[in-house]
Amino acid sequence: MRQFAVEADGGSRGNPGPAGYGAVVVDAATGETLTEAAGFLGTATNNTAEYRGLIAGLHAARDLDPEARVEVRMDSKLVVEQMAGRWRIKHPGLQRLAAEAAEVLAPGQVTYTWIPRAENQHADRLANEAMDAGARGERWNPAASTADLPAAAPPPAAAPPDLSTPTTFLLLRHGETALTSEKRFSGSGGSDPALSAAGRHQAARTAGALAARGTVEAVVSSPLRRCRETAEAVAGRLGLPVTVDEGLRETAFGAWEGLTFGEVRDRWPDQLTAWLASPDVAPAGGGESFDGVAARVAEARERLRLAHAGRTVLLVSHVTPVKTLVRLALDAPWQALFRMELAAASLSEIAYYADGNASVRLLNDTGHLR
């Protein structure tokens, strides 16, 4: 009976962000590379990409010999332990991917082994080739792949940080509405309220502070009315136009729109608990999950970074998109969303550098409102 080793990996430039996977099937006896697989996934998380690499590798092994014994080698402790049955899979999306992987070959044919990242470079290079191809709008081409070549020797010293002018996002949460003060869910699918008198005052105070600051070069707003009114107040003082970007809109809260947290807890206790426990669970009645919001916001981030490279841009948005941009910049888990305070008309700031690094410079500043 033939014996294969499947080495698989996946990655996401943003987590979630542009993602890809790679897998290689190796003859376990000779170490010969038998076949490679790679692909671009669009926007996805690291874990999703890793599972997609596993699935691609198992399919490639089955295509070579459906009776072969396969040892899967991955540097993802999560995937290895979950597929080996030692760790529980809580995330519904990963549950589906794990079930798909388990169906490719008979359970007795496959074993799972964790390996250090340094021993998984072939699959890692395949995943990066796929992401690079996706960034160019192309499909990964196996004929052009160099992932099987030995990795170049590391440089003698780490490259210095990129000190060039960053692209800076100044993040402004909109001013108060009548729903804000009552702490009601107010997302993309509700009544689209206007600013209250207090919210208009906050917008005017913010406009004055940013005019004095004098660094904002462009203003981009969520399409929702409360953001557009806030953005227009600031842009009017700065003499700038307002551009609208759909990616900056608030979460759609479905049937929970306009309700307080307590009202939702009373009517949909199980759905609320599930939503708070998992990023891929959406609010009842056609709402939007945290994963869905993160993917949309990450796409808007990349689009706006390219359009405004090296400039300071005011983004007028909502609680969840602003917190999501901060979370992604920190590479923090999704639960970090619940550990940030973000007041109405508060300012936060993130600098993005050309080498891919990001720096959170400010969070929830309300000094301009005093």
Side-chain angles (χ1 to χ4, degrees), residues 166-171 213 301 305 311-313 315 321-330 347-353 357-363:
T167 303
T168 302
F169 285 174
L170 191 58
L171 310 173
R213 178 172 174 162
R301 176 196 63 194
R305 283 178 61 186
R311 307 173 76 199
T312 296
V313 186
L315 305 187
V322 172
K323 287 185 177 182
T324 297
L325 285 166
V326 172
R327 178 184 75 79
L328 294 177
L330 295 173
L347 288 166
S348 303
E349 184 175 319
I350 305 172
Y352 298 95
Y353 293 87
N357 287 317
S359 175
V360 176
R361 295 175 169 178
L362 189 69
L363 178 66

Side-chain angles (χ1 to χ4, degrees), residues 35-354:
T35 189
E36 297 173 321
F40 180 64
L41 297 172
T43 299
T45 64
N46 280 326
N47 292 154
T48 296
E50 289 165 345
Y51 263 104
R52 283 298 174 193
L54 166 64
I55 293 167
L58 291 174
H59 277 289
R62 187 184 66 181
D63 291 344
L64 289 171
D65 186 345
E67 303 300 324
R69 291 192 176 275
V70 175
E71 179 191 16
V72 172
R73 302 171 183 168
M74 298 182 68
D75 62 71
S76 171
K77 188 75 169 175
L78 177 94
V79 175
V80 167
E81 294 298 320
Q82 288 182 341
M83 290 304 300
R86 291 186 289 268
W87 287 4
R88 181 183 174 191
I89 309 175
K90 299 180 180 179
H91 193 291
L94 298 188
Q95 289 175 353
R96 291 190 289 271
L97 291 171
E100 183 178 344
E103 292 175 354
V104 179
L105 293 168
Q109 288 181 251
V110 186
T111 59
Y112 290 87
T113 302
W114 178 83
I115 58 175
R117 184 177 181 82
E119 297 179 19
N120 202 29
Q121 292 186 20
H122 189 165
D124 177 72
R125 290 196 291 271
L126 285 168
N128 277 284
E129 284 186 354
M131 285 185 275
D132 291 341
R136 297 190 301 268
E138 302 171 0
R139 293 176 64 87
W140 175 75
N141 180 6
S145 175
T146 60
D148 198 17
L149 298 177
D162 181 357
L163 299 179
S164 60
T165 302
T167 303
T168 302
F169 285 174
L170 191 58
L171 310 173
L172 172 61
R173 185 190 170 194
H174 61 80
E176 286 188 12
T177 72
L179 298 182
T180 308
S181 59
E182 296 178 2
K183 298 187 182 302
R184 295 183 179 274
F185 283 94
S186 182
S188 294
S191 59
D192 196 14
L195 293 179
S196 63
R200 292 192 294 274
H201 176 71
Q202 291 167 337
R205 296 281 293 183
T206 305
L210 293 180
R213 178 172 174 162
T215 58
V216 174
E217 300 170 85
V219 179
V220 184
S221 174
S222 156
L224 298 184
R225 183 177 179 182
R226 52 198 181 273
C227 283
R228 287 188 288 105
E229 290 181 349
T230 304
E232 287 162 3
V234 176
R237 286 289 300 271
L238 301 179
L240 295 171
V242 175
T243 301
V244 171
D245 192 298
E246 285 286 336
L248 299 179
R249 60 182 170 81
E250 180 60 289
T251 309
F253 292 114
W256 302 350
E257 294 279 2
L259 302 178
T260 65
F261 187 90
E263 290 168 341
V264 171
R265 183 183 54 213
D266 291 341
R267 300 183 196 184
W268 293 277
D270 294 339
Q271 291 94 326
L272 181 62
T273 298
W275 179 65
L276 294 173
S278 179
D280 67 352
V281 174
E288 188 177 20
S289 70
F290 287 121
D291 275 352
V293 174
R296 164 167 59 79
V297 168
E299 290 177 0
R301 176 196 63 194
E302 294 309 302
R303 182 169 59 247
L304 293 169
R305 283 178 61 186
L306 289 173
H308 299 282
R311 307 173 76 199
T312 296
V313 186
L314 179 69
L315 305 187
V316 186
S317 189
H318 309 261
V319 170
T320 311
V322 172
K323 287 185 177 182
T324 297
L325 285 166
V326 172
R327 178 184 75 79
L328 294 177
L330 295 173
D331 197 21
W334 74 274
Q335 293 93 335
L337 295 172
F338 302 129
R339 291 169 173 80
M340 297 182 218
E341 177 72 21
L342 205 69
S346 63
L347 288 166
S348 303
E349 184 175 319
I350 305 172
Y352 298 95
Y353 293 87

